[in-house]
């Protein structure tokens, strides 16, 4: 009675037909604008209320019903979708998603995904080499930068407590001295540093923000001064977080100087390279990551500039032994006897238990594209950002805030009329572009001023696309001021 509902060697035609129909339905409804502009309330009305109908429906009917879901999606591939670190996914990675979802392997124990486990291990080994980490390094795939940052800070916390107070957080919880621990990062670091500190029982106030220079990079002099001051106050630097590619500006903290200070003060160095890790594959700019090999742990995101569908990230660890702070043995998944027999069970290195086989899509993308072309795509996004920055700098209606790093360009709209408030106008302009389905552009505050932002993630767009978008932004801004 249920056999036709599931893929199996004896039930292939239903699967083939379902996938083919789904592809047709998807392609027929693909949005051609960045966004339809519908409000959340309008979207809610399109969904109706029958979440679980009592009877069955044909797939054709269901695909009819799913059409609004497709139509009112954000078009990640559109040249004017340029707000976030949110890429169009590679076709090879989408093909891989079909395989990994259909086979539904899980990454917790070897028997739940034998080949999947071995491929993830091989990809992790490759990744550690690519980051020039020494022998003994280890890695694990994660759901993304948030989880990888959390893991880095968790291991930093537990290693710090073990070193200073000979105490196991895993067994005994936080020690009485925990209130003396601090994490240090730049004021441009990702908010998940504070979020992690809060979740790790140290509290968000345990994060010390270090000043950045005029290029939005952590200032090593300020870092040194704060570390010095902390020592005098009896505080303990559990971790220094350097960012390789800040979310707003793409700026890369001085990795070598930061690493040296972290070592001098006995702190764990975590490098958040969620964004900048793509430079590992760059043909022209790999040198910008010099010093990444000095990290104790590294965050890598593949669902950013490796063009993978969400979710796909990794966490790299200089000394793989440090995963011990996470490991607990479950008799049903990773009994200690397995370790003795050399059976690899990834659950011991992960925050998750059941986990997707995300390494496959990255591997298939690499196989399809090859290193040279992948590197060219990375480099192309930087080239596009430089072009956009030049155009902005030469347009009196726009103001460039920095030289682009990685592929971020932060700028302002300059009002034609002195009486227009630029901050309000900028916010309205961005909203207008979104609601009219014209463009999805980013925004951020710099020194208290409201700014616009491009994040060039799509190597398939052209200089002409960027020029047209900038002209449109100015035109809509002028219309807004006139209205
Ligand atoms: C995107 C980003 C993160 C968070 O990563 P997710 O994959 O969204 O969880 C962390 N750090 C930096 C620098 C980022 O750009």
């Amino acid at each position: 009675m249920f056999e036709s509902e599931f893929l199996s060697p004896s039930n292939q035609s239903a699967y083939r037909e379902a996938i083919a129909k789904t592809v047709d339905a998807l392609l027929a409804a693909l949005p051609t604008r960045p966004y339809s502009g519908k409000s959340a309330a309008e979207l809610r009305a399109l969904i109706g209320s029958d979440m679980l109908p009592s009877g069955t429906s044909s797939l054709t009917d269901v695909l009819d019903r799913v059409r609004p879901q497709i139509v009112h999606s954000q078009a990640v591939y559109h040249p004017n979708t340029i707000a976030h670190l949110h890429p169009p996914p590679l076709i090879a990675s989408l093909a891989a998603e079909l395989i990994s979802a259909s086979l539904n392997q899980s990454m917790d124990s070897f028997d739940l995904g034998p080949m999947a486990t071995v491929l993830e291990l091989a990809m992790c080994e490759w990744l550690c080499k690519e980051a020039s980490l020494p022998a003994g390094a280890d890695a694990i795939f994660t759901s993304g930068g948030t989880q990888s940052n959390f893991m880095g800070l968790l291991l930093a916390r537990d290693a710090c407590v073990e070193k200073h107070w000979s105490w196991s957080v895993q067994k005994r919880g936080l020690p009485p001295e925990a209130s003396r621990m601090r994490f240090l990062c730049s004021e441009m670091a990702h908010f998940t540093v504070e979020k992690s500190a809060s979740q790790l029982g140290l509290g968000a106030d345990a994060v010390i923000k270090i000043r950045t220079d005029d290029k939005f990079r952590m200032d090593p002099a300020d870092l040194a001064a704060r570390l010095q001051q902390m020592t005098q106050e009896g505080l303990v630097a559990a971790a220094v977080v350097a960012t390789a590619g800040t979310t707003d500006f793409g700026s890369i903290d001085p990795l070598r100087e930061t690493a040296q200070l972290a070592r001098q003060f006995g702190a764990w160095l975590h490098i958040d390279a969620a964004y900048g890790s793509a430079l590992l594959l760059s043909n022209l700019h790999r040198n910008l990551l010099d010093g990444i090999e000095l990290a104790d742990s590294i965050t890598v995101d593949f669902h950013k500039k490796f063009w993978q569908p969400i979710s796909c990230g990794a966490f790299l660890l200089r000394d793989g032994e440090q995963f011990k702070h996470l490991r607990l043995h479950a008799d049903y998944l990773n009994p200690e006897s397995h370790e003795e027999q050399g059976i690899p069970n990834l659950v011991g290195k992960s925050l998750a238990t059941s986990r997707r086989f995300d390494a496959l899509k990255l591997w298939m993308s690499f196989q399809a594209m090859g290193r040279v072309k992948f590197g060219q795509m990375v480099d192309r996004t930087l080239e596009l950002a430089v072009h956009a920055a030049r155009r902005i700098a030469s347009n009196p209606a726009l103001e460039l805030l920095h030289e682009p790093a990685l592929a971020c360009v932060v700028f302002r709209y300059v009002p034609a009329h002195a009486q227009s408030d630029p901050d309000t106008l900028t916010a309205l302009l961005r909203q207008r572009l979104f609601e009219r389905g014209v463009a999805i552009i980013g925004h951020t505050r710099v020194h208290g001023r409201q700014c616009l932002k491009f994040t060039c993630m799509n190597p398939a767009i052209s200089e002409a696309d960027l020029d047209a978008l900038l002209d449109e932004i100015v035109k809509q801004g002028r219309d807004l001021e006139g209205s």
Side-chain angles (χ1 to χ4, degrees), residues 85 143-146 149 190 192 243 245 247 272 274-275 301 303-304:
L85 284 161
S143 62
T146 302
N149 282 348
H190 199 261
T192 49
T243 310
T247 312
D272 178 359
Y275 180 7
D301 237 350
H303 58 221
K304 287 180 176 167

Side-chain angles (χ1 to χ4, degrees), residues 4 20 90 104 127 144 182 205 232 310 317 416 458 471 475:
S4 65
L90 288 166
N104 200 30
L127 200 53
R182 296 290 180 273
D205 288 349
Q232 281 156 11
I310 298 162
L317 187 57
N458 187 349
D471 289 347
K475 180 181 166 292

